[in-house]
Amino acid sequence: MGKKAKKKQKHAVELSIEAELEAEAAYYARKCGITVQEAAQIIREAHKPKLSIVQKK
């Protein structure tokens, strides 16, 4: 039987990203007077890739 693939490293990266997002959201929530959840949502939306359709002329 073979060994299972390690998933721990990917999970640790996701946790650090979420911790960083939470810290940034807390900072902006204090500065703007909004909740941490609202600030986190705004940051997530800002980091989403934007699709643009450019028509060739």
Side-chain angles (χ1 to χ4, degrees), residues 4-37:
K4 291 186 178 180
K6 295 182 181 180
K7 294 183 181 179
K8 202 173 214 179
Q9 190 174 21
K10 183 178 179 184
H11 185 65
V13 171
E14 289 175 6
L15 286 178
S16 67
I17 291 172
E18 285 297 316
E20 183 179 322
L21 173 70
E22 187 174 331
E24 186 177 359
Y27 172 79
Y28 284 109
R30 286 191 306 272
K31 291 288 186 181
C32 300
I34 59 177
T35 66
V36 175
Q37 290 80 17

